Amino acid sequence: VALYEHRPCQVEMAGEVWRTFRAGGFLLTEAGTGTGKSLAYLLPALHSDRRVVVSTGTKALQEQLSRKDVPLCAQVLGRPVRVATVKGRANYLCLHYWARFAAEPLLRDRSEIQHLKTLSRWAAETKSGDRAELEGVPEDLALWQDVNARGERCLGSRCPAYRECFVTRMRREAEAAELIVTNHHLLFADRMVRTRADAAVLPEYTHLILDEAHEAEDAATSFFGRTASRRMLQEWVQDASKAVPGEKVTLLAALKAAGEAAGRFFDLWAGEERREVFHPRELPPDGAALRRRMETSLDQASLQMETGGMGEEALGLLERLEEWREAFSFVLDESEDTFVRILEARGRNVILSASPIEVAPILKEKLWGDLKASVLTSATLTTGGSFAFLRDRLGVPEEARELRLQSPFDFASQGLFYVPEFLPEPTSPAFLEAAREEVRELVHASRGRAFVLCTSYRNMRAMAEHLASTVPFPLLVQGDEPKGILLERFRAAGDAVLVATSSFWQGVDIQGEALSLVILDKLPFAPPDDPLTAARVDRMRRRGRDPFQEYQLPCAAILLQQGAGRLIRSRQDRGVVACLDVRLRRKGYGRLLLSSLPPFATAGDLDEVRAFFRTEPTAE
Ligand code: SF4
């Protein structure tokens, strides 16, 4: 059986990656779907005699590389590959906190009893501690928060379980590996903490492949920012209180007082759900006094911990508190105007954060400067045929080599891109109702087999509600089950309709007829009132640049390509991408967006869509 087929574009890319690894510098390469870009970079990487880090935007691609592509390379090369898969710490079970939790489980409700049993069975057997192995529990299992190995409460080398710890083991494996497969979140989080002894997860490396590089800016924004939330501090107070022996009543009282003082401070914003720009100089009345009270009570609690003879564990807890307080001061003290401060209130939790308005200077300083060779790749790196947007956003120098490889698929005959001629614009109050009807018609034409991808939860719920009562196909809705299970059900059903938001726009791979229609409700422009978007737009404007043309439009173009890219995943796939946003036809910028898409045949009339599906080999 042939292991692979010859694809000239794949060979061309492999050659360029090889040259970049030898000569150093940057390579930007856009490789359309079906190019086989994973092998095109893995094989040169494994020939380079260097330790190479491959970073992906999604866990799905990370899993695919580790489980499928790297073993295939080993087969082709005829030798074992020393590979380590490294994920963010919150993906691993923390042996220390698990032992504590299992001894005295505090469950939120009865439904957690079954999950606890599943978790216990798995914890007793797992060799990796990676929760990707853990089947049968929801992705957002609250219990996992109590027992995962996230960094902010790790005791590091002071932990009694340090030697067996899954994170420690993962680090050892990475140290010995020639190839490290990780994701952008971990890559940037690691860069952020590298200066702290013991905190880095990845070993030293000089050669990097950034796959799904179009997602790098978002990941870098979250990891080069700072966050101090009420929940993080509450957890610290809880963990510290559990670690304090019962007879230390004064210390316990100090911790309780600190928790209460923090509660009063964060209560200034609790309640109404929101995400908005936060101006520390405009604290609500009493804000400054409540902050002082909280800080004083934290000082008292930590002083008592330091002097209270609590041993090693106290040191880990104090370091953790120190980190929280540093982040808190960074957000509140507003000395850095290159960051935008954001306040988010979700239920009782209040999150104060500072996000870098631009990550390019940070990447230059913290990442690119340490590397000899960097390959940035994705199926969607260009807008209107140019890499300028990506270079600008990620701080990649102009002399970077560039390579654009067209997909080997025949989009003109395999796919149809449909934008209705007559539908209200998405800004119109009549849009949602009309769009729901259009979706129903489309889903009937395709006989199910559809993704309905929405730009907001509101639209997602409205679409799902309408389809539930109007189409006879199995309906799957984001949030009802974990993503992986929804996708499995979708594949298995063969005629299902999945309604989802942005988390399904990227990195989802369904080959074959189970997915024959992708509907995008609107053009994916970031909401202009989002604090980060607003800050970026404002900064560009102040520099005399055009934020719509240079930022908002290219961002939307890449997301649109990603959404449309869910459809044609192999030479056999056939189907329709429908975008219900008529601005694509009516506005000048529609041309740039359309020119960024693969060369689909186009349609504006529902009858053309019906005719397309009637010509399917499987149509009755
Ligand atoms: S070292 Fe940190 S992550 Fe590992 S078991 Fe201990 S506390 Fe958990």
Side-chain angles (χ1 to χ4, degrees):
V1 182
L3 282 177
Y4 49 80
E5 59 180 24
H6 178 71
R7 299 182 204 171
C9 48
Q10 189 180 37
V11 176
E12 193 184 347
M13 178 171 163
E16 274 304 315
V17 174
W18 174 242
R19 275 185 280 282
T20 306
F21 275 8
R22 298 200 59 136
F26 285 85
L27 171 67
L28 302 176
T29 173
E30 181 176 74
T33 331
T35 314
K37 65 177 160 44
S38 315
L39 291 190
Y41 60 67
L42 284 175
L43 287 169
L46 290 170
H47 258 301
S48 67
D49 284 335
R50 306 276 184 182
R51 177 188 282 143
V52 178
V53 171
V54 178
S55 177
T56 67
T58 56
K59 279 193 210 156
L61 179 58
Q62 193 183 1
E63 292 288 322
Q64 183 202 306
L65 291 175
S66 302
R67 290 179 189 206
K68 198 172 135 218
D69 299 329
V70 175
L72 178 62
C73 288
Q75 213 177 331
V76 172
L77 295 172
R79 67 166 177 87
V81 169
R82 283 173 286 118
V83 59
T85 302
V86 178
K87 297 182 181 171
R89 301 181 55 124
N91 288 283
Y92 298 90
L93 182 72
C94 166
L95 288 171
H96 175 68
Y97 286 104
W98 167 245
R100 272 195 181 186
F101 186 84
E104 234 176 290
L106 253 181
L107 299 181
R108 289 161 186 83
D109 57 55
R110 291 178 63 82
S111 73
E112 287 199 338
I113 297 175
Q114 193 49 43
H115 298 321
L116 179 62
K117 284 186 189 158
T118 314
L119 196 60
S120 303
R121 274 196 300 274
W122 170 75
E125 287 166 6
T126 179
K127 299 265 182 300
S128 70
D130 179 355
R131 74 158 293 179
E133 300 170 352
L134 181 61
E135 285 173 7
V137 298
E139 225 163 273
D140 56 353
L141 180 67
L143 194 54
W144 184 253
Q145 288 301 319
D146 298 325
V147 297
N148 73 27
R150 65 186 180 279
E152 71 250 22
R153 58 182 199 163
C154 172
L155 304 176
S157 52
R158 291 185 203 90
C159 170
Y162 184 70
R163 287 173 67 81
E164 315 83 68
C165 164
F166 293 118
V167 176
T168 315
R169 276 192 233 175
M170 170 190 77
R171 275 192 193 144
R172 278 199 295 264
E173 274 173 33
E175 195 65 54
E178 59 185 307
L179 185 76
I180 296 171
V181 181
T182 186
N183 55 57
H184 302 344
H185 290 222
L186 187 119
L187 181 87
F188 296 129
D190 179 71
R191 283 282 141 184
M192 192 62 194
V193 298
R194 273 193 104 69
T195 42
R196 278 194 355 244
D198 212 29
V201 176
L202 298 177
E204 293 297 325
Y205 59 94
T206 53
H207 288 58
L208 172 69
I209 295 163
L210 211 57
D211 198 345
E212 296 175 323
H214 63 279
E215 295 196 22
E217 184 181 10
D218 284 350
T221 302
S222 53
F223 284 92
F224 291 130
R226 300 286 176 82
T227 299
S229 73
R230 173 186 199 149
R231 204 200 72 206
M232 285 157 82
L233 190 62
Q234 269 171 344
E235 281 182 352
W236 180 85
V237 171
Q238 277 164 15
D239 290 342
S241 306
K242 275 187 216 154
V244 172
E247 67 271 14
K248 295 201 179 289
V249 278
T250 330
L251 174 50
L252 283 169
L255 287 168
K256 187 164 177 258
E260 284 167 0
R264 278 193 290 277
F265 175 74
F266 283 105
D267 269 343
L268 289 169
W269 301 279
E272 184 198 337
E273 300 254 324
R274 57 185 146 165
R275 177 180 155 87
E276 62 195 25
V277 177
F278 172 60
H279 298 287
R281 289 199 198 95
E282 297 163 21
L283 285 181
D286 284 350
L290 289 171
R291 176 184 173 182
R292 270 197 304 280
R293 237 171 275 160
M294 176 179 82
E295 304 233 41
T296 310
S297 58
L298 286 171
D299 286 340
Q300 279 165 0
S302 52
L303 186 67
Q304 290 199 30
M305 280 175 80
E306 266 171 53
T307 53
M310 268 182 65
E312 288 287 282
E313 193 161 8
L315 293 178
L317 284 160
L318 286 169
E319 271 172 25
R320 198 174 130 197
L321 178 63
E322 200 44 45
E323 274 169 37
W324 187 91
R325 295 186 74 175
E326 248 176 58
F328 180 78
S329 302
F330 187 88
V331 178
L332 270 281
D333 293 342
E334 220 171 7
S335 51
E336 278 282 356
D337 74 341
T338 50
F339 284 71
V340 54
R341 269 79 186 159
I342 299 172
L343 182 142
E344 270 182 277
R346 287 190 221 139
R348 282 184 56 73
N349 195 17
V350 175
I351 305 156
L352 299 173
S353 59
S355 296
I357 298 173
E358 280 165 357
V359 297
I362 305 176
L363 287 174
K364 280 186 200 160
E365 184 202 321
K366 289 198 184 290
L367 182 63
W368 307 137
D370 291 342
L371 299 177
K372 288 205 171 81
S374 314
V375 174
L376 285 77
T377 185
S378 163
T380 54
L381 282 191
T382 62
T383 51
S386 160
F387 286 97
F389 169 66
L390 182 101
R391 265 205 323 263
D392 180 49
R393 300 308 305 169
L394 298 185
V396 172
E398 289 209 7
E399 59 272 18
R401 280 185 286 279
E402 296 178 354
L403 178 68
R404 274 189 87 198
L405 298 164
Q406 296 298 336
S407 163
F409 302 153
D410 179 1
F411 284 94
S413 67
Q414 288 180 255
L416 188 68
F417 190 79
Y418 168 72
V419 184
E421 270 165 27
F422 307 103
L423 208 68
E425 289 200 7
T427 43
S428 152
F431 170 75
L432 191 55
E433 204 45 53
R436 293 196 327 167
E437 257 315 281
E438 191 80 8
V439 168
R440 185 185 67 77
E441 297 270 5
L442 284 162
V443 165
H444 269 294
S446 63
R447 304 184 304 283
R449 308 180 296 163
F451 271 12
V452 182
L453 302 179
C454 303
T455 43
S456 67
Y457 282 97
R458 176 176 165 262
N459 284 11
M460 178 187 92
R461 282 190 287 268
M463 294 287 177
E465 193 180 274
H466 189 60
L467 289 170
S469 58
T470 54
V471 299
F473 311 108
L475 186 67
L476 304 165
V477 183
Q478 180 184 332
D480 285 357
E481 306 250 25
K483 188 172 174 181
I485 294 186
L486 283 178
L487 291 173
E488 258 168 47
R489 297 226 163 121
F490 184 87
R491 281 191 195 100
D495 64 347
V497 179
L498 186 140
V499 189
T501 66
S502 57
S503 65
F504 285 73
W505 278 64
Q506 313 194 45
V508 172
D509 190 1
I510 307 251
Q511 291 194 11
E513 285 173 27
L515 180 62
S516 297
L517 170 66
V518 173
I519 303 175
L520 314 172
D521 68 336
K522 290 202 280 184
L523 289 172
F525 285 116
D529 55 353
D530 173 74
L532 192 58
T533 308
R536 287 183 171 155
V537 164
D538 180 54
R539 177 151 299 226
M540 291 183 97
R541 228 177 248 140
R542 281 194 275 127
R543 290 186 179 160
R545 295 176 63 178
D546 179 344
F548 183 71
Q549 290 295 335
E550 293 181 45
Y551 177 61
Q552 290 157 291
L553 191 55
C555 284
I558 284 179
L559 267 177
L560 182 66
Q561 292 171 60
Q562 280 290 325
R566 298 311 99 219
L567 184 69
I568 307 288
R569 312 296 296 173
S570 78
R571 284 183 211 274
Q572 286 73 42
D573 283 350
R574 240 180 134 262
V576 174
V577 179
C579 180
L580 307 185
D581 194 328
V582 293
R583 291 176 297 180
L584 261 177
R585 292 184 173 281
R586 296 182 191 160
K587 303 281 183 194
Y589 58 73
R591 265 193 305 281
L592 180 117
L593 294 172
L594 290 172
S595 73
S596 299
L597 287 170
F600 288 109
T602 53
D605 190 323
L606 252 175
D607 280 339
E608 292 171 86
V609 175
R610 294 190 184 103
F612 180 92
F613 283 119
R614 274 200 298 273
T615 61
E616 274 188 298
T618 50
E620 289 137 353

